[in-house]
Amino acid sequence: MTKNNQTNELTGLLTISRFREVAHQALENTDLRAQGVSFIYLDIENFKNYNEIMGFSAGDEVLQFMAKTIDDEFNGRHVAYFGSDHFVILARNSEALVKTKTIIATLDAKFGQMSVNVKAGIYTLQPDDDIDISVCCDRAKIACDSIKHKYDAGYCFYTNEMGRDLWLRRFIPDQFPTALASGHIKVNFQPIVRALTDDVCGLEALVRWNDPDYGFISPGQFVPVLEQAHLVHKLDIFVIEEVCRAYKYSLVDSNLATVPVSVNLSRLDFSLCDIYEEVERLIKKYDVPKDMLHIEVTETGLNEEGNFLRDGIIKFQENGYQVWMDDFGSGYSSFNVLKDYDFDVLKLDMKFLADFEKNENAHIIIASIVSMAKKLGVRTVTEGVETKEQWEFLKSIGCDMGQGYFFNRPAPLL
């Protein structure tokens, strides 16, 4: 609710529309612009949980305390409530950071024990910037959002890289259908090598996106965005079909005819579509034996989805498919997952080998995991193998397979 459409009734601060007006007027002051100004976006983390536990009246008290704290620090100048748990301030550069720290500390002292934390994003307006007030607020919000769930960070300054990331998060879902149809998204294959013989015993299908204008977009960039946009199942079905097509028209005519290919499934595939039926449809269409297609599911997905994903995994296994756990060790509940699931293969996360030459603890951890897996009757693949020394070590501890640049980079079949 508002009073005269200028101030918010609950907090007494400026409304969004009024803030834009006064901020625009302030920025027309050349003396103020010369001093340097910043937009500060404040967000109360865990506020929704606080409301649910303590009640909305208690939540309103937090907002009112927050508003008074901000108002006191900035003497009522250019301070706005943007709704929910969001506040925006236009401040001189000289006072922006120090007062932001004070606000964070004040709220933490009063509500920190109840897991109510304040995050701040700061966008510093450049002297020659001529951009809309809304864009300035958005950039401050982007900086704020970048540190959500990072409990060792209370504030963050906006960078141009954050802007590129935001642009990419919009570009990816918008251009995804065109990229699929135009062949900008392709499937590459990376060999998996058997330790006992040094022979290729499998392939992993890895998707690559090369946009003609933007250039290379890494899976680490586009896969999470497609998950957020609920489009990732379309990508994974595309990959599975490309693998099946390759088996029928390429692999059967090469010396890799008997080598299975593993494909990665997102946890969301199991809710956005009937991924089992999609796989069945495609292997029948291209006449691919079930033992030639292996299913990989990441450990983090297992932690997030629980029983829902378990049913899907069991269905694949009961109907003749191998299911592998990808990126073992990348999450927080690796051993609980092993207790609750029966996997055919564990793929050790490549981070285990990241500082292999310098860190003896890495040797001990990898050897222990491989030994444990053997006792469970589960085979192991270690990702990220880059040197002969690493490969010889993995052989010596009984790791079954390896994958990495030491053997080959991901590449097209032809």
Side-chain angles (χ1 to χ4, degrees), residues 109-329:
K110 188 168 181 66
F111 300 106
Q113 71 275 14
M114 290 175 276
S115 299
V116 173
N117 303 296
V118 176
K119 300 293 186 184
I122 303 172
Y123 170 63
T124 300
L125 194 67
Q126 300 305 308
D128 57 347
D129 277 350
D130 184 20
I131 55 178
D132 188 77
I133 299 297
S134 296
V135 175
C136 296
C137 297
D138 286 345
R139 291 180 177 180
K141 182 179 187 300
I142 291 166
C144 182
D145 290 345
S146 73
I147 55 171
K148 282 190 174 181
H149 310 303
K150 294 182 180 179
Y151 294 100
D152 58 344
Y155 63 89
C156 180
F157 284 88
Y158 174 88
T159 65
N160 289 334
E161 184 178 353
M162 292 178 186
R164 288 191 294 271
D165 288 344
L166 176 65
W167 178 87
L168 200 57
R169 288 200 298 271
R170 293 170 177 168
F171 174 86
I172 287 169
D174 182 59
Q175 292 299 312
F176 173 65
T178 301
L180 278 185
S182 303
H184 301 152
I185 296 177
K186 296 182 181 297
V187 176
N188 286 357
F189 297 83
Q190 187 174 36
I192 299 170
V193 176
R194 192 184 310 280
L196 285 177
T197 62
D198 280 337
D199 293 328
V200 174
C201 62
L203 300 169
E204 181 180 5
L206 297 167
V207 66
R208 297 293 182 261
W209 185 341
N210 277 292
D211 183 79
D213 298 319
Y214 182 87
F216 178 74
I217 307 174
S218 74
Q221 291 174 309
F222 67 78
V223 171
V225 175
L226 292 177
E227 287 185 330
Q228 292 170 7
H230 285 187
L231 294 170
V232 71
H233 63 298
K234 295 182 182 295
L235 174 70
D236 291 343
I237 292 170
F238 165 80
V239 172
I240 294 165
E241 180 154 19
E242 289 297 291
V243 168
C244 292
R245 182 181 290 113
Y247 178 86
K248 183 170 184 177
Y249 297 112
S250 300
L251 295 179
V252 293
D253 296 326
S254 70
N255 58 0
L256 296 175
T258 60
V259 173
V261 181
S262 62
V263 296
N264 295 277
L265 296 186
S266 166
R267 70 193 188 282
L268 294 179
D269 291 341
F270 293 83
S271 58
L272 294 174
C273 67
D274 190 334
I275 192 62
Y276 172 79
E277 290 300 329
E278 291 292 340
V279 171
E280 283 283 292
R281 174 179 65 83
L282 291 169
I283 66 166
K284 290 174 183 175
K285 177 179 177 179
Y286 293 97
D287 196 25
V288 179
K290 289 184 178 182
D291 59 357
M292 289 292 104
L293 188 71
H294 296 163
I295 305 299
E296 292 192 22
V297 182
T298 62
E299 176 203 330
T300 50
L302 296 168
N303 290 334
E304 293 174 14
E305 294 298 327
N307 292 334
F308 181 75
L309 189 53
R310 184 200 313 275
D311 294 340
I313 289 174
I314 291 173
K315 188 171 184 178
F316 272 108
Q317 289 178 316
E318 287 180 342
N319 287 279
Y321 294 94
Q322 284 194 23
V323 179
W324 298 13
M325 185 207 285
D326 192 18
D327 295 337
F328 178 80

Side-chain angles (χ1 to χ4, degrees), residues 3-33:
K3 186 189 301 180
N4 299 326
N5 295 321
Q6 294 190 6
T7 58
N8 172 264
E9 186 173 318
L10 176 66
T11 64
L13 302 182
L14 297 177
T15 62
I16 297 175
S17 58
R18 181 57 181 160
F19 175 80
R20 288 173 180 152
E21 292 173 0
V22 298
H24 180 74
Q25 293 167 4
L27 294 180
E28 290 181 336
N29 184 324
T30 55
D31 290 338
L32 179 63
R33 285 294 298 266

